[in-house]
Amino acid sequence: NLQDVGHPFARVTEEVQRMEGKPELDVIFHVDPGPKVTIGEIRTRGNKVTQDLVILDRVTLAPGDLYSAAEVERSRQRLSRLGLFSSVSVELFDDDPRATRRDLLVVVRERPQFAVEVGAGASVEDGPRAFLAGEVRNIAGLGVALHGRGQLNYPRAFYDFLYDKDDP
């Protein structure tokens, strides 16, 4: 809970003390909330094609907000759902661990920008077929994609299986 209200380095430790002359134990929890942290700048790393504005648009924290582990995870999921990255991590920039204002670092690994799929098959209705599909992802680094698919069928190859000249 502390990590969702600005305390990313909260630590809880426990200690057990035996009560003298009794078969009972006291369990004592020590809570060190650590410093309350606000977000400084939001930095990006690893994006070679994707423009920063596309990434920053999906981050739900803004400079000046209190750190929230739930919002960090929500931002990571929103970035992952774009389909542009094979991995995404959102973390505090590793500078002074006792600082009360820390930058947020978004590290991404971009998926390949081009994808091609080639295949062949057969259908009783459409005959043998070949297809070619292609995709260009992240055009101009804006998260826009272009998908295309072409298919070539030769249904005549199976006409003898389907066509019965005596059947009206």
Side-chain angles (χ1 to χ4, degrees), residues 41-60:
E41 289 181 43
I42 299 175
R43 304 180 187 192
T44 62
R45 184 180 294 158
N47 53 319
K48 296 178 177 90
V49 176
T50 308
Q51 294 185 28
D52 286 347
L53 65 96
V54 174
I55 294 172
L56 297 176
D57 182 57
R58 306 307 292 169
V59 175
T60 60

Side-chain angles (χ1 to χ4, degrees), residues 56-99:
L56 297 176
D57 182 57
R58 306 307 292 169
V59 175
T60 60
L61 291 165
D65 288 352
L66 280 177
Y67 175 89
S68 169
E71 289 303 313
V72 165
E73 178 58 19
R74 184 169 173 238
S75 297
R76 191 194 65 73
Q77 289 175 358
R78 286 169 50 107
L79 284 162
S80 293
R81 280 192 295 251
L82 285 175
L84 303 175
F85 311 112
S86 60
S87 70
V88 176
S89 70
V90 181
E91 55 206 38
L92 288 174
F93 191 71
D94 191 26
D95 44 11
D96 180 11
R98 299 305 289 181

Side-chain angles (χ1 to χ4, degrees), residues 5 16 26 37-38 50 58 61-64 68 80 94 96 104-105 107 114 121 123 139 160-161:
V5 291
V16 177
D26 278 339
V37 174
T38 57
T50 308
R58 306 307 292 169
L61 291 165
S68 169
S80 293
D94 191 26
D96 180 11
L104 196 66
L105 180 63
V107 181
F114 302 97
S123 163
I139 297 170
D160 292 335
F161 294 118

